[in-house]
Amino acid sequence: MLDFAVNLRADEPPSWLVERLAARLRDLGRYPSAEDERRAVLAVAARHRRATAEVALLAGAAEGFALLANLRPRLAALIAPSFTEPEAALAAAGVPLHHVVLPPPFGLSGAVVPDEADLVVVGNPTNPTAVLHNREQILALRRPGRIVVVDEAFADAVPGEPASLAGEALPDVLVLRSLTKTWSLAGLRVGYALGPTAVLHRLTARRAHWPLGTLQLEAITACSSPEAVAEADLGARRLMTLRAEMVAGLTALGLDVIDGTAPFVLIAVPDAELIRKRLDSRGIAVRRCDTFIGLDGQFLRAAVRPQWPVLVEGIAEVMR
């Protein structure tokens, strides 16, 4: 399949990262060392100019969502449409949920969050809409006694990260970051949380010993270095150029593409599921969107790929 469904930036990690991880394979015969963990925490803290006590290493941002129930929220407000993992994890823990459903074009300006919500989860940029909310809109969600969780899994795919709160030491904001997508590390799952020390302690209090393995710690250290951050930003700039070309190709078909800034696009199409299946039969995979709260059967999500002309041509054929 020509894969536009999965949001990994490439088919495999860059060669320098593969070599660095391979060099640690002989260390798998012993438990991860405290020094490995310290180096990873220091690298993340330096990358975002945060105190080391404001960093918690994660097995991908998804683990951060799985840990949110440890904060014992009375009511969690989930900004939708958005990544479905927070809902699944919180619902499984019995946390009451309220969906704040945003209408197209999915901006935060009209969001009405219940005052009693003491946990708010929002993506930035949001999966699957690709909408990038500005910092002021995110900060406006804060209230006394509330924690705002910002899913920045794709923030490093935005050149310069202008809307990111990762570098802000705020007492009530928890930022979750992923390295999995940019560095094609789906087989490792690596990320981290940034936030107040007390909140991080509550978040991670029930984790098992050695929650991350040696290769995960090495990957976090490597991908948080100044050289890697510069490489990611250069890749993000190339990605945005490619995205603009892809959007132009899709809109030339008369399709409506939601205005956004992310390594994927949300496309409004008639009878999306039929089109998805017809593309599938032609060896082209795109992401269905009817599984996201707030989206109906008229949307598809597609990752930004250099092969986007094949997708545009395929959609044109199946819509005839």
Side-chain angles (χ1 to χ4, degrees):
M1 299 290 287
L2 183 55
D3 187 5
F4 290 90
V6 176
N7 281 321
L8 296 181
R9 191 177 292 188
D11 292 335
E12 60 185 29
S15 58
W16 64 264
L17 181 54
V18 172
E19 292 167 5
R20 184 157 172 175
L21 294 175
R24 297 300 307 273
L25 290 178
R26 293 185 181 275
D27 296 330
L28 296 184
R30 54 182 179 268
Y31 289 105
S33 71
E35 178 59 21
D36 282 334
E37 183 176 359
R38 188 185 73 85
R39 288 171 55 240
V41 169
L42 283 171
V44 172
R47 187 251 190 272
H48 295 289
R49 297 176 180 170
R50 300 288 291 257
T52 55
E54 297 171 338
V55 176
L57 307 178
L58 300 171
E63 189 198 9
F65 297 127
L67 296 173
L68 287 180
N70 291 341
L71 300 179
R72 299 177 182 256
R74 295 184 301 275
L75 176 65
L78 308 178
I79 308 295
S82 192
F83 184 45
T84 56
E85 189 69 21
E87 176 185 8
L90 291 168
V95 175
L97 304 176
H98 177 86
H99 293 100
V100 181
V101 180
L102 306 177
F106 308 112
L108 272 177
S109 57
V112 179
V113 178
D115 289 336
E116 60 270 27
D118 55 350
L119 184 74
V120 176
V121 182
V122 59
N124 204 33
T126 301
N127 176 19
T129 66
V131 171
L132 183 69
H133 310 295
N134 64 48
R135 293 158 52 90
E136 292 72 24
Q137 290 173 319
I138 299 290
L139 294 174
L141 298 172
R142 300 164 70 197
R143 296 288 187 278
R146 172 186 292 174
I147 295 174
V148 176
V149 180
V150 189
D151 171 16
E152 293 192 1
F154 296 98
D156 61 356
V158 181
E161 301 186 15
S164 174
L165 293 176
E168 299 266 359
L170 299 168
D172 53 357
V173 175
L174 179 66
V175 176
L176 300 179
R177 300 278 296 220
S178 174
L179 297 169
T180 301
K181 310 297 191 302
T182 291
W183 300 106
S184 301
L185 292 170
L188 272 186
R189 304 297 296 274
V190 283
Y192 48 88
L194 303 163
T197 303
V199 173
L200 293 182
H201 283 168
R202 291 165 55 202
L203 186 76
T204 60
R206 301 184 182 184
R207 295 173 93 190
H209 295 299
W210 299 292
L212 273 74
T214 299
L215 297 185
Q216 289 170 301
L217 296 173
E218 188 67 25
I220 292 172
T221 303
C223 296
S224 300
S225 70
E227 297 80 8
V229 171
E231 181 177 325
D233 187 69
L234 181 60
R237 296 179 190 281
R238 292 172 177 160
L239 197 66
M240 287 303 103
T241 299
L242 191 63
R243 188 183 198 279
E245 296 170 354
M246 181 174 174
V247 169
L250 290 166
T251 54
L253 296 180
L255 300 177
D256 181 21
V257 179
I258 299 301
D259 186 26
T261 306
F264 48 87
V265 296
L266 184 66
I267 315 162
V269 294
D271 202 346
E273 184 60 10
L274 177 62
I275 289 177
R276 186 186 71 82
K277 289 180 178 179
R278 287 178 175 175
L279 288 172
D280 185 84
S281 69
R282 288 166 169 76
I284 301 172
V286 294
R287 175 68 158 87
R288 61 186 291 190
C289 289
D290 58 321
T291 57
F292 293 97
I293 297 292
L295 292 182
D296 55 21
Q298 305 302 312
F299 291 96
L300 295 172
R301 190 195 70 192
V304 176
R305 298 269 187 265
Q307 302 91 340
W308 66 262
V310 179
L311 174 64
V312 171
E313 182 180 351
I315 292 176
E317 289 177 357
V318 301
M319 288 182 64
R320 287 188 186 128

